[in-house]
């Protein structure tokens, strides 16, 4: 990637579709893409180190002192820590098993077993479930999952680079912006737990397809391929099952459609009706799928705390300085740090867009409401709580309780504006080869420094338990031995049930536990009757539930967020002492008990 290469700059039209710079010969483009892919992979390896040495471990963040007492960051050596990352693996294993058995992909026959009706899911986690299906038999369940994290980071870097390359003459500058986006602290934290982080590639990819489609239509060239690309990206996001991602994609593309239409009419130029209509249709189909799937699976309602304004208040950033302070906020969700350098450059880029870079003016205008909405409940304009107003009047938005997840778009726009500022500054160096080389070196060092600053927490690894003796015993018994109960058993909206569902995925067994949003009042009744087992009491009501469901095996899990030090062992001992259970085997944080008699 030559720091001195300077093809023509973008168009000055008031449109988000600049004429793409000459990318150079095909061989040069290929080498550049390979370099960006390797840089993205290297950044992922460094920021997740030592995960690369232990691909059969789960990677999470330790946080800092401010969040040490919060459940997501509580840890105890030797324990087994639940979390959404375990449920991601479980859900993907369910989808793969459904595909192999030619069942409906929405069925969840493993968790909440032996109930009056099966639980369901809309989270198909495509395209990464396809990768898991291929690699799981070859490398194991967790290594296959970790491979998707790495490849998603590479895909995000490549997609962001390809899009930013349309807005800058300097390939090195586009690469720096792509790495800043792919490795932003918010995305890296989300990557430790939530599926949405592996889909960040879709947003720059969608913008690339949209802009290319508009540009080709205006130039009188065929635009079917970028239209097909846009449809593939949007429908993949919709089918993935992350509701807020399709919500953000709809808002982003809807804004660009309106902007392009108004700009074309106001300038009395040619309005690209075909591409705009195609975008509207594609987004409409994606939204229709999401609404239909939601209705069919959840019957219009979900279990849990979505739709609660108190949840928005809880998870909103705790400080107006959150963009420049490494604050994790509640459960880490408040981490939206980008740092002063990128934020200042984005501010300068906003000014540059208004003054001379009309091609990015749409994104500059969009940046302000994006930042405001990312702050959620903390945002007020003239005494008006903007997010609360939208929350109350947009029913779809009310299902999104973590406003910071808008960073998938906010960070992308801020990076674009920062790149714009540096690209404008680079015009002063045009034709001065030595100055350009020096600028390239400075930019490379600054990017490395930025990525080092983006490591905001010590990493923590935990083994996958695939070879644990308890898991091996469960796997050997097979599903013919009936469902398994994981202790602790908690309400189906509680994250810590994921330890039990994950063990079900590793052993290919059904479990009475569930971490699922399907409305199931019977599950709450079951949990209440089984609750004495959490305290080591073999109550008659609990034993009756085990008998009715055909459950003879229970696994007591040393979950540090539930059991105090020593409490797990005391629970195991009390259950054995009751005479109703016998200890089959114990290994690490797991103890397998079986009903007697």
């Amino acid at each position: 990637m030559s720091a001195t290469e300077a093809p023509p700059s973008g168009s000055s039209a008031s449109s988000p579709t600049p004429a793409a710079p000459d990318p150079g010969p095909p061989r040069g483009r290929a080498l550049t893409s390979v370099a960006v892919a390797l840089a993205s992979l290297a950044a992922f390896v460094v920021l997740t180190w030592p995960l690369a040495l232990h691909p059969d471990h789960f990677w999470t963040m330790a946080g800092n002192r401010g969040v040490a007492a919060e459940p997501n960051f509580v840890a105890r050596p030797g324990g087994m820590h639940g979390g959404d990352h375990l449920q991601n693996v479980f859900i993907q294993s369910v989808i793969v098993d459904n595909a192999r058995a030619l069942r409906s992909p929405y069925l969840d026959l493993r968790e909440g077993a032996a109930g009056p009706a099966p639980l369901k899911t809309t989270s198909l986690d495509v395209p990464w479930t396809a990768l898991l299906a291929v690699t799981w038999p070859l490398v194991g369940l967790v290594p296959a999952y970790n491979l998707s994290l790495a490849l998603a980071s590479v895909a995000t870097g490549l997609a962001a680079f390809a899009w930013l390359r349309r807005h800058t003459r300097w390939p090195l500058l586009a690469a720096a912006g792509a790495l800043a986006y792919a490795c932003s602290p918010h995305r890296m934290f989300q990557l430790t737990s939530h599926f949405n982080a592996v889909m960040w590639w879709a947003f720059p990819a969608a913008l690339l397809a949209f802009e290319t489609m508009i540009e080709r239509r205006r130039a009188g060239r065929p635009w079917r391929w970028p239209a097909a690309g846009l449809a593939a990206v949007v429908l993949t996001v919709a089918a993935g099952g992350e509701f807020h991602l399709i919500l953000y994609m709809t808002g982003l593309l809807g804004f660009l459609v309106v902007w392009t239409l108004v700009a074309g009419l106001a300038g009395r130029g040619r309005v690209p009706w075909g591409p705009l209509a195609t975008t509207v249709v594609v987004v409409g189909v994606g939204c229709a799928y999401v609404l239909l799937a939601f209705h069919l699976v959840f019957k219009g309602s979900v279990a849990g705390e979505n739709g609660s304004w108190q949840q928005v208040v809880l998870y909103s950033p705790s400080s107006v300085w959150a963009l420049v302070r490494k604050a994790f906020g509640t459960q880490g969700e408040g981490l939206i740090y980008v740092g002063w350098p990128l934020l200042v450059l984005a501010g300068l880029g906003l000014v540059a867009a208004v003054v001379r870079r009309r091609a990015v003016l749409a994104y500059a205008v969009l940046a302000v409401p994006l930042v405001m909405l990312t702050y959620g409940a903390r945002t007020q304009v003239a005494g008006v709580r903007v997010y609360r107003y939208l929350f109350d009047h947009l029913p779809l938005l009310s299902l999104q309780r973590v406003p910071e997840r808008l960073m998938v778009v906010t960070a992308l726009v801020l990076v674009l504006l920062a790149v714009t500022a540096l690209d404008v500054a680079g015009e002063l160096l045009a034709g001065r080869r030595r100055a350009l080389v020096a600028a390239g070196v400075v930019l490379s060092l600054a990017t490395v420094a930025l990525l080092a600053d983006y490591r905001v927490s010590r990493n923590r690894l935990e083994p996958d338990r695939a070879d644990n003796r308890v898991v091996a015993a469960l796997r050997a018994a097979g599903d013919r031995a009936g469902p398994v109960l994981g202790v602790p058993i908690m309400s189906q909206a509680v994250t810590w049930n994921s330890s039990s569902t994950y063990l079900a995925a590793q052993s290919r067994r059904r479990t009475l536990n569930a971490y699922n949003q399907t409305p199931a009042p019977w599950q709450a009744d079951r949990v209440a009757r089984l609750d004495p087992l959490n305290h080591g009491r073999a109550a008659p009501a609990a034993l009756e539930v085990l008998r009715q469901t055909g459950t003879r095996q229970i696994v007591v899990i040393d979950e540090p967020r539930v059991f105090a030090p020593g409490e797990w062992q005391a629970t195991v001992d009390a259950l054995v002492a009751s005479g109703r259970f016998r200890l089959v085997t114990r290994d690490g944080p797991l103890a397998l008990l079986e009903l007697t008699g």
Side-chain angles (χ1 to χ4, degrees):
M1 294 179 291
S2 171
T4 60
E5 179 186 355
S9 60
S11 167
S12 61
S14 57
S15 160
T17 55
D22 180 9
R27 183 179 179 183
R29 294 199 301 270
L31 290 176
T32 300
S33 297
V34 170
V36 172
L38 292 176
S40 300
L41 181 60
F44 172 83
V45 169
V46 171
L47 290 175
T48 62
W49 191 262
L51 179 62
L53 297 179
H54 307 282
D56 59 345
H57 283 52
F58 283 107
W59 159 60
T60 57
M61 290 187 181
N64 55 29
R65 291 183 179 180
V67 292
E70 294 201 7
N72 270 358
F73 300 98
V74 169
R76 185 169 65 236
M80 183 171 179
H81 306 80
D84 285 349
H85 57 295
L86 299 186
Q87 193 68 0
N88 291 342
V89 174
F90 169 78
I91 288 296
Q92 291 187 23
S93 74
V94 166
I95 303 304
V96 171
D97 285 345
N98 284 342
R100 289 172 176 167
L102 300 180
R103 289 192 296 261
S104 165
Y106 307 107
L107 284 177
D108 183 353
L109 300 180
R110 290 207 180 276
E111 58 181 336
L119 302 184
K120 297 180 180 180
T121 180
T122 56
S123 298
L124 303 185
D125 287 9
V126 292
W128 304 110
T129 42
L131 175 66
L132 188 86
V134 173
T135 56
W136 182 2
L138 302 176
V139 299
L141 183 56
V142 172
Y145 175 75
N146 285 332
L147 179 62
S148 70
L149 302 187
L151 293 183
S153 296
V154 173
T156 301
L158 285 172
F161 170 77
W163 177 62
L164 291 171
R165 189 67 184 87
R166 294 180 54 81
H167 295 278
T168 177
R169 65 194 66 198
W170 317 111
L172 189 63
L173 181 54
L179 291 175
Y181 178 66
C183 300
S184 62
H186 179 80
R187 178 180 180 271
M188 296 307 292
F189 175 76
Q190 294 293 312
L191 205 61
T192 65
S193 57
H194 295 296
F195 176 75
N196 69 79
V198 296
M199 297 300 292
W200 276 41
W201 61 269
F203 287 80
L207 294 179
L208 174 65
F210 177 83
E211 292 181 4
T212 303
M213 186 170 59
I214 299 296
E215 174 203 334
R216 289 189 179 185
R217 176 64 183 85
R218 285 174 170 164
R221 298 166 54 199
W223 48 275
R224 293 178 181 176
W225 282 113
L230 180 67
V233 171
V234 173
L235 296 181
T236 297
V237 172
E242 286 292 305
F243 171 80
H244 61 280
L245 289 183
I246 191 62
L247 179 68
Y248 300 156
M249 182 71 77
T250 300
L252 177 61
L253 292 177
F255 170 81
L256 292 179
V257 166
V258 172
W259 180 278
T260 304
L261 176 62
V262 172
L265 294 176
R268 296 183 180 179
R270 295 180 58 186
V271 176
W273 293 106
L276 296 184
T278 298
T279 304
V280 171
V281 170
V282 166
V283 169
V285 171
C287 291
Y289 165 81
V290 170
L291 294 175
L292 180 62
F294 182 88
H295 175 74
L296 293 177
V297 170
F298 294 130
K299 307 300 181 185
S301 178
V302 295
E305 298 172 304
N306 287 316
S308 166
W309 173 249
Q310 287 73 22
Q311 289 289 297
V312 176
V313 174
L314 177 66
Y315 286 112
S316 293
S318 57
S319 168
V320 294
W321 300 102
L323 283 171
V324 292
R325 288 182 181 173
K326 299 175 182 178
F328 281 85
T330 302
Q331 303 287 32
E333 297 287 3
L335 183 63
I336 60 174
Y337 177 79
V338 297
W340 278 112
L342 191 141
L343 190 61
V344 170
L345 286 174
L348 294 175
L350 192 151
V351 174
V354 173
V355 174
R356 58 185 301 177
R357 285 298 178 92
R358 310 295 286 180
V360 297
L361 182 59
Y363 300 109
V365 170
L366 187 59
V368 176
L370 281 176
V371 171
M372 291 171 58
L373 292 175
T374 301
Y375 273 86
R378 180 163 288 278
T379 302
Q380 292 193 30
V381 177
V384 177
R385 293 185 294 177
V386 179
Y387 200 96
R388 180 60 191 265
Y389 181 84
L390 295 176
F391 183 92
D392 290 339
H393 293 84
L394 295 178
L396 296 179
L397 183 63
S398 66
L399 290 175
Q400 172 51 31
R401 61 192 178 118
V402 185
E404 293 90 335
R405 293 185 186 170
L406 189 59
M407 281 295 286
V408 63
V409 184
T410 305
L412 186 61
V413 171
L414 292 179
V415 165
L416 171 64
L417 294 177
V419 166
T420 299
L422 292 176
D423 186 76
V424 170
E427 294 177 355
L428 302 176
L429 304 179
R432 302 166 61 183
R433 184 175 180 82
R434 291 185 177 179
L436 286 172
V437 171
V441 172
V442 171
L443 178 62
S444 299
L445 295 176
T447 302
V448 171
L450 182 70
L451 296 181
D453 182 54
Y454 278 2
R455 184 179 177 117
V456 296
S457 168
R458 178 176 58 84
N459 293 322
R460 179 188 294 138
L461 300 184
E462 185 172 334
D464 62 359
R465 318 288 177 187
D467 298 324
N468 185 281
R469 289 196 302 271
V470 169
V471 175
L474 292 173
R475 189 184 300 120
D479 223 18
R480 63 185 178 277
V484 178
L485 171 65
V487 174
I489 181 169
M490 311 184 80
S491 167
Q492 72 180 82
V494 176
T495 311
W496 318 134
N497 283 318
S498 59
S499 295
S500 299
T501 57
Y502 167 72
L503 294 178
Q506 281 288 15
S507 62
R508 310 299 276 269
R509 296 285 295 275
R510 291 173 297 145
T511 178
L512 299 188
N513 306 71
Y515 178 35
N516 186 292
Q517 291 185 305
T518 305
W522 52 267
Q523 181 72 5
D525 176 68
R526 171 192 284 178
V527 170
R529 295 167 65 191
L530 290 169
D531 182 69
L533 296 176
N534 293 333
H535 311 286
R537 300 197 306 271
L543 296 176
E544 180 62 17
V545 171
L546 298 181
R547 185 192 66 79
Q548 290 174 349
T549 58
T551 304
R552 297 191 55 82
Q553 295 177 317
I554 71 172
V555 180
V556 187
I557 305 168
D558 188 7
E559 166 55 75
R561 274 68 71 93
V562 180
F563 291 125
E567 189 177 359
W568 168 73
Q569 184 60 57
T571 300
V572 173
D573 294 341
L575 290 173
V576 173
S578 72
R580 296 306 186 105
F581 298 92
R582 69 178 184 90
L583 177 64
V584 177
T585 185
R586 170 184 164 174
D587 189 3
L590 306 177
L592 176 60
L593 306 183
E594 222 169 47
L595 275 172
T596 58

